[in-house]
Amino acid sequence: MAAVLGGLLLTGCSAPSELKALDRPATADDRLPDGVQVSDVENPENIRLLAVDDGVKYFAVTKQESHAACLIVVPTATPPMWGSSCSSPVTDGEIVKVDVRGAGSTMLVTDGYDTNHLQSEGWKKVHDNVLVARS
């Protein structure tokens, strides 16, 4: 159902210092679309929508128990074809990559990471922490 690659990192019960975008209060937009459930996310109310671009929603969440986090990629035209990946913390750079049919490759990066080299290779920045590459 979902094609997933990568390993993601973040720490803490609230947003890690590497992703300040998770520090804001939740809104109705932060709810995952119907049919999208990430089984290893203990508190779905902590999920935050980071960006919407070209028919794809990009979410992230910090996992409280394991001090890790997840990236969730959901193409709105094909909700069953979503993907996610979770893993442990990094301090600077590329956190995780997720490949999903209909959305291409998505990369989550830490705050302040210089993405110029990635953008010169064809990655598009859709949020300070999210880059995408579509074929």
Side-chain angles (χ1 to χ4, degrees), residues 49-58 73-76 102-103 124-127 130-134:
L49 176 64
L50 298 184
V52 178
D53 182 68
D54 199 25
V56 181
K57 293 183 176 187
Y58 303 94
V73 179
V74 184
T76 57
K124 174 184 172 186
K125 192 175 221 177
V126 297
H127 179 273
V130 180
L131 291 99
V132 297
R134 294 190 178 101

Side-chain angles (χ1 to χ4, degrees), residues 36-123:
V36 177
Q37 296 179 345
V38 180
S39 61
D40 50 351
V41 171
E42 300 98 353
N43 297 308
E45 67 274 3
N46 292 336
I47 294 171
R48 296 295 179 269
L49 176 64
L50 298 184
V52 178
D53 182 68
D54 199 25
V56 181
K57 293 183 176 187
Y58 303 94
F59 298 88
V61 62
T62 301
K63 295 174 65 179
Q64 294 181 348
E65 295 300 317
S66 64
H67 302 287
C70 302
L71 172 64
I72 306 156
V73 179
V74 184
T76 57
T78 57
M81 299 305 294
W82 58 274
S84 69
S85 184
C86 302
S87 100
S88 309
V90 315
T91 56
D92 183 42
E94 299 174 15
I95 298 172
V96 68
K97 290 179 187 172
V98 176
D99 292 333
V100 176
R101 189 177 341 153
S105 296
T106 303
M107 183 185 307
L108 186 67
V109 299
T110 57
D111 288 342
Y113 182 60
D114 183 357
T115 60
N116 288 329
H117 67 287
L118 294 168
Q119 291 173 287
S120 71
E121 294 172 359
W123 290 85

